[in-house]
């Protein structure tokens, strides 16, 4: 199905009022894009390690929304201008220039696939997207078929490669593995393929849990890995975390999540278990290391790739 993407230019000061006006016209899902600098409170709420670099604030805002293709754009333009006349008595609404372009559902969902090709993670692990026919594997390779869908995790990023490197180093035949923030399930699937006896993956996103189950089935592991919607930092009765100790606990997330996680993760670990963390950018590496040490961990392995690091740690 085709949709019409609309971009309406207004001012930052009027953006909330104009959004309310659009909602009153029956337009749903309005996105506001502006250049207002982030406050310190904003930065602390953002679970990202590298803050976005915004251009200089020019006082303008862009409101983005979608309409069905049969809706007349010129009629919409005139309706916006007419309804905005009342607002102009109170606030500067800017140009209210309306730009449109046609997009397809498939453009949103599938365009990214052209950039995801079969690739080799290490000496004998090959990640193969489910929709491609390209093949670079050898006879003795471990082939992992992945379709991340809307869940994070293709294996191509340095953080995932580093995590896999540490998993290979510490996993043993029959190990139990807990994969926190499983995303597409790629680390859980690899752990099971490498000989883990039991693997549990958890994610706060129920879509990720669904995708992870689908990927496990693609790899012949249906019913052999358990995926849970759960939050180890905020467990609840509806989403309880498993109680037993695991030989390996893996978290390929973000530094700002791993830091508080280091204070609670040991209760999910076996006595001699290993905590493998990744997703750590270089500017956050010391903070994560300090958090691990303060929470009674000893770092036994540290591996880098470009600007990213993964730690393997054991409880003292």
């Amino acid at each position: 199905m085709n949709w019409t993407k609309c971009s309406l230019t207004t001012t930052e000061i009027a953006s909330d009022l104009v959004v309310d006006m659009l909602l009153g016209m029956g337009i749903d899902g309005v996105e506001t894009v502006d250049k207002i600098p982030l406050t310190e409170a904003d930065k602390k709420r953002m679970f990202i390690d590298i803050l976005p670099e915004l251009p200089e604030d020019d006082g303008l805002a862009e409101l983005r929304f979608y309409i069905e293709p049969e809706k007349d754009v010129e009629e919409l333009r005139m309706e916006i201008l007419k309804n905005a006349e009342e607002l102009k008595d109170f606030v500067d609404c800017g140009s209210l220039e309306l730009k449109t372009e046609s997009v397809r559902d498939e453009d949103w969902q599938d365009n990214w696939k052209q950039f995801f090709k079969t690739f080799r993670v290490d000496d004998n692990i090959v990640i193969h997207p489910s929709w491609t026919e390209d093949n670079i594997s050898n006879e003795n390779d471990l082939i992992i078929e992945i379709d991340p869908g809307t869940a994070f995790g293709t294996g191509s990023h340095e953080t995932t490669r580093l995590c896999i490197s540490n998993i290979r180093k510490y996993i043993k035949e029959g190990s139990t593995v807990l994969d926190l923030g499983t995303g597409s399930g790629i680390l859980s699937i690899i752990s099971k393929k490498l000989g883990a006896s039991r693997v549990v993956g958890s994610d706060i996103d129920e879509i990720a849990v669904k995708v992870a189950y689908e990927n496990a089935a693609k790899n012949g592991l249906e019913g052999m890995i358990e995926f849970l919607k759960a939050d180890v930092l905020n467990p609840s009765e509806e989403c309880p975390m498993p109680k037993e100790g695991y030989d390996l606990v893996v978290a390929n997330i973000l530094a700002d999540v791993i830091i508080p996680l280091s204070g609670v993760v040991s209760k999910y670990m076996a006595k001699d278990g290993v905590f493998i963390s990744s997703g750590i950018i270089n500017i956050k590496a010391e903070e994560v290391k300090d958090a691990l040490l303060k929470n009674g961990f000893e770092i036994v392995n540290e591996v880098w790739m470009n600007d990213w690091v993964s730690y393997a740690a054991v409880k003292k």
Side-chain angles (χ1 to χ4, degrees):
M1 178 178 177
N2 289 338
W3 293 82
T4 301
K5 177 183 178 181
C6 300
S7 301
L8 180 67
T9 300
T10 184
T11 60
E12 291 170 349
I13 195 171
S15 61
D16 287 344
L17 290 174
V18 178
V19 168
D20 286 341
M21 180 192 77
L22 293 173
L23 295 176
M25 292 168 52
I27 294 171
D28 295 323
V30 182
E31 175 190 10
T32 302
V33 180
D34 57 40
K35 307 178 186 71
I36 298 175
L38 297 171
T39 65
E40 287 304 315
D42 291 332
K43 295 175 183 178
K44 290 178 181 178
R45 284 195 296 266
M46 296 175 72
F47 273 159
I48 56 176
D49 288 330
I50 305 176
L51 294 172
E53 293 185 9
L54 298 176
E56 185 177 349
D57 187 8
D58 58 6
L60 299 180
E62 181 183 345
L63 307 181
R64 300 172 182 172
F65 54 93
Y66 295 84
I67 59 174
E68 295 179 346
E70 58 267 23
K71 189 170 182 64
D72 187 280
V73 173
E74 285 307 313
E75 184 179 311
L76 173 65
R77 193 190 313 273
M78 297 306 296
E79 188 179 0
I80 289 173
L81 293 175
K82 178 183 176 181
N83 290 337
E85 285 300 321
E86 298 180 11
L87 299 180
K88 290 179 179 178
D89 292 336
F90 305 98
V91 66
D92 177 13
C93 294
S95 68
L96 294 176
E97 179 184 7
L98 181 67
K99 297 180 180 179
T100 63
E101 62 177 298
S102 180
V103 296
R104 300 180 302 164
D105 281 342
E106 309 91 87
D107 294 336
W108 302 346
Q109 298 176 11
D110 295 329
N111 275 358
W112 62 275
K113 289 183 177 180
Q114 64 182 300
F115 304 107
F116 182 22
K117 307 295 184 183
T118 298
F119 63 95
R120 184 172 296 278
V121 175
D122 66 2
D123 290 343
N124 74 329
I125 296 181
V126 173
I127 307 298
H128 178 70
S130 60
W131 59 87
T132 68
E133 296 182 359
D134 54 330
N135 185 13
I136 61 170
S137 61
N138 299 318
E139 183 179 351
N140 296 321
D141 283 339
L142 183 63
I143 301 173
I144 309 297
E145 189 169 306
I146 287 291
D147 183 351
T150 55
F152 177 81
T154 64
S156 58
H157 196 274
E158 291 98 326
T159 59
T160 311
R161 292 171 181 251
L162 289 170
C163 211
I164 292 169
S165 172
N166 262 330
I167 290 173
R168 293 205 71 153
K169 183 176 178 67
Y170 291 101
I171 199 168
K172 298 179 177 66
E173 190 71 29
S175 291
T176 55
V177 179
L178 176 61
D179 176 17
L180 301 175
T182 192
S184 67
I186 185 171
L187 297 178
S188 292
I189 292 166
I190 288 174
S191 296
K192 189 65 179 176
K193 292 277 190 178
L194 290 175
S197 61
R198 184 181 184 215
V199 180
V200 176
S202 74
D203 204 290
I204 61 174
D205 185 352
E206 62 185 30
I207 294 177
V209 172
K210 177 178 179 291
V211 169
Y213 268 121
E214 291 171 352
N215 282 323
K218 285 184 175 73
N219 288 274
L221 300 175
E222 187 170 5
M224 300 173 68
I225 302 177
E226 181 182 3
F227 294 105
L228 306 171
K229 181 186 176 184
D231 183 353
V232 68
L233 292 177
N234 299 287
S236 65
E237 291 184 4
E238 296 80 16
C239 302
M241 291 298 297
K243 302 298 183 183
E244 68 181 83
Y246 290 82
D247 300 313
L248 292 183
V249 177
V250 181
N252 180 26
I253 314 179
L254 290 169
D256 286 338
V257 179
I258 294 169
I259 289 170
L261 185 60
S262 65
V264 300
V265 72
S266 62
K267 65 183 177 183
Y268 301 107
M269 298 170 60
K271 181 180 178 182
D272 298 319
V274 180
F275 176 40
I276 297 171
S277 57
S278 192
I280 306 160
I281 190 70
N282 54 2
I283 58 176
K284 294 279 189 175
E286 287 303 314
E287 289 182 55
V288 174
K289 183 181 288 189
D290 288 346
L292 289 168
L293 296 177
K294 287 177 182 177
N295 284 291
F297 282 96
E298 177 185 355
I299 296 172
V300 293
N301 197 40
E302 176 179 328
V303 285
W304 285 82
M305 184 178 291
N306 298 322
D307 293 328
W308 301 89
V309 63
S310 174
Y311 295 119
V314 296
K315 197 73 173 179
K316 291 181 181 178

